[in-house]
């Protein structure tokens, strides 16, 4: 449920010494230029250098050094760097895992409107990770991210309304947030919309719409949707009965280890 930064670029060029003689000076590489800028306090350069050390692109991978540069930018108030630093503390990347520190940096970024930090802070409240557990507070932060358009947050806000997590149960609101995330192609939200239409929960019951959403998520590799759409094909629910297609989709789900799909395939024999 968390987001981890995975980005990096630049190339490292060093000086070569042969037989006590130094080659003619070469132009500074992009990494060296950014390192120089970062040392002078330039925030974007500090983040870029941190990214290079994090990914090992253009320089030897050194997550501790990545944390050092992220911290420099974070301490200057940059929300992106604060989020990255929160992730590092959250997952023990280049620093000892420290949930309260992760929460502290997520909060600093979240209060500046950083969408992913808002979502991660909400997850921390839901899990009671580094902060006293509170689903009410979790919903506050997840909603902030959802309202900025973060699909994963939109889907999980729907889950909160669907399951009475930090809010009163509201099937219509659940379906509304599922749809927002589904419209962005979020596979889990597409599945949840399928379930909503199958049950008539927050939307008019429609086997056809349920099958349509299941199929969309199944084509993205979502295992529960592959099973659900396979069963639609097998039973002719919302779509024409097609045993061959059913076997294909159930096989895909079974190959991902989904036990109900394995049982359904056994019953087809």
């Amino acid at each position: 449920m968390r987001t981890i930064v995975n980005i990096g670029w630049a190339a490292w060029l060093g000086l070569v010494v042969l037989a006590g003689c130094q080659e003619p000076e070469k132009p500074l590489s992009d990494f060296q230029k950014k390192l120089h800028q970062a040392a002078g306090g330039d925030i974007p350069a500090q983040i870029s250098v941190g990214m290079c050390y994090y990914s090992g692109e253009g320089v030897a991978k050194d997550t501790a050094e990545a944390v050092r540069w992220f911290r420099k930018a974070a301490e200057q108030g940059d929300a992106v760097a604060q989020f990255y630093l929160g992730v590092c503390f959250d997952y023990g990347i280049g620093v000892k895992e420290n949930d309260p520190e992760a929460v502290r940096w997520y909060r600093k970024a979240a209060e500046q409107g950083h969408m992913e930090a808002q979502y991660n802070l909400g997850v921390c409240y839901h899990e009671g990770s580094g902060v006293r557990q509170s689903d009410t507070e979790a919903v506050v932060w997840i909603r902030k991210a959802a309202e900025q358009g973060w699909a994963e947050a939109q889907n999980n806000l729907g889950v909160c309304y669907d399951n009475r997590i930090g809010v009163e149960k509201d099937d219509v609101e659940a379906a509304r947030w599922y749809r927002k995330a589904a419209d962005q192609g979020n596979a889990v939200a597409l599945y949840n919309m399928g379930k909503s239409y199958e049950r008539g929960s927050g939307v008019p019951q429609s086997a056809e719409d349920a099958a349509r959403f299941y199929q969309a998520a199944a084509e993205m590799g979502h295992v529960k949707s592959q099973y659900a759409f396979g069963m639609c094909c097998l039973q002719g629910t919302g779509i024409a009965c097609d045993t061959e297609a059913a076997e294909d989709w159930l096989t895909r789900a079974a190959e991902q280890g989904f036990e109900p799909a394995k049982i359904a395939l056994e019953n087809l024999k």
Side-chain angles (χ1 to χ4, degrees):
M1 297 174 75
R2 310 289 176 82
T3 304
I4 298 182
V5 180
N6 186 10
I7 179 173
W9 33 266
W12 180 271
L13 295 176
L15 294 176
V16 178
V17 179
L18 294 176
C21 296
Q22 184 172 297
E23 288 189 347
E25 186 175 345
K26 295 180 180 180
L28 290 175
S29 69
D30 287 343
F31 177 77
Q32 288 171 318
K33 290 176 183 177
K34 290 190 178 297
L35 188 60
H36 178 73
Q37 294 168 344
D42 184 84
I43 291 174
Q46 289 173 339
I47 294 172
S48 294
V49 168
M51 289 175 176
C52 290
Y53 277 115
Y54 170 80
S55 63
E57 291 292 330
V59 66
K61 184 178 177 71
D62 187 335
T63 54
E65 193 67 7
V67 168
R68 189 171 76 87
W69 286 105
F70 289 152
R71 189 189 297 274
K72 286 179 180 293
E75 289 175 346
Q76 292 194 68
D78 185 84
V80 173
Q82 290 168 342
F83 169 66
Y84 290 171
L85 192 54
V87 169
C88 291
F89 277 111
D90 202 349
Y91 291 91
I93 299 171
V95 69
K96 185 177 179 180
E97 186 175 320
N98 187 324
D99 292 339
E101 272 297 282
V103 167
R104 185 168 79 89
W105 289 107
Y106 284 152
R107 190 184 304 280
K108 286 178 179 291
E111 289 175 347
Q112 294 192 66
H114 191 281
M115 186 167 58
E116 293 95 327
Q118 290 171 338
Y119 175 74
N120 280 10
L121 183 57
V123 172
C124 289
Y125 271 109
H126 174 64
E127 296 178 346
S129 176
V131 68
R132 180 176 294 180
Q133 199 280 338
S134 170
D135 284 333
T136 300
E137 195 68 14
V139 169
V140 168
W141 290 104
I142 291 172
R143 186 188 303 279
K144 288 179 184 292
E147 289 175 345
Q148 289 199 67
W150 185 249
E152 193 168 353
Q154 291 171 337
N155 175 70
N156 283 341
L157 185 55
V159 170
C160 290
Y161 278 110
D162 208 352
N163 296 278
R164 197 179 285 112
I165 298 173
V167 290
E168 290 298 315
K169 183 173 175 61
D170 189 328
D171 293 337
V172 173
E173 273 296 281
R176 185 170 78 88
W177 286 107
Y178 287 152
R179 188 180 298 276
K180 286 179 180 290
D183 286 345
Q184 295 191 63
N186 182 279
V188 180
L190 287 164
Y191 171 75
N192 285 337
M193 279 304 301
K195 293 295 291 183
S196 296
Y197 274 111
E198 181 182 347
R199 300 177 305 194
S201 177
V203 291
Q205 196 279 333
S206 170
E208 291 77 13
D209 283 324
R212 178 169 60 87
F213 278 103
Y214 286 148
Q215 182 176 9
E219 290 173 349
M220 297 174 69
H222 186 263
V223 65
K224 289 185 178 180
S225 296
Q226 291 174 338
Y227 170 73
F229 186 60
M231 295 304 294
C232 288
C233 293
L234 181 64
Q235 299 167 353
T237 306
I239 192 171
C241 184
D242 187 333
T243 304
E244 185 176 340
E247 186 173 0
D248 175 53
W249 285 108
L250 291 172
T251 298
R252 296 191 196 194
E255 288 174 347
Q256 293 197 62
F258 196 62
E259 288 299 324
K262 295 178 183 180
I263 295 170
L265 284 171
E266 284 295 321
N267 292 336
L268 278 176
K269 295 179 180 179

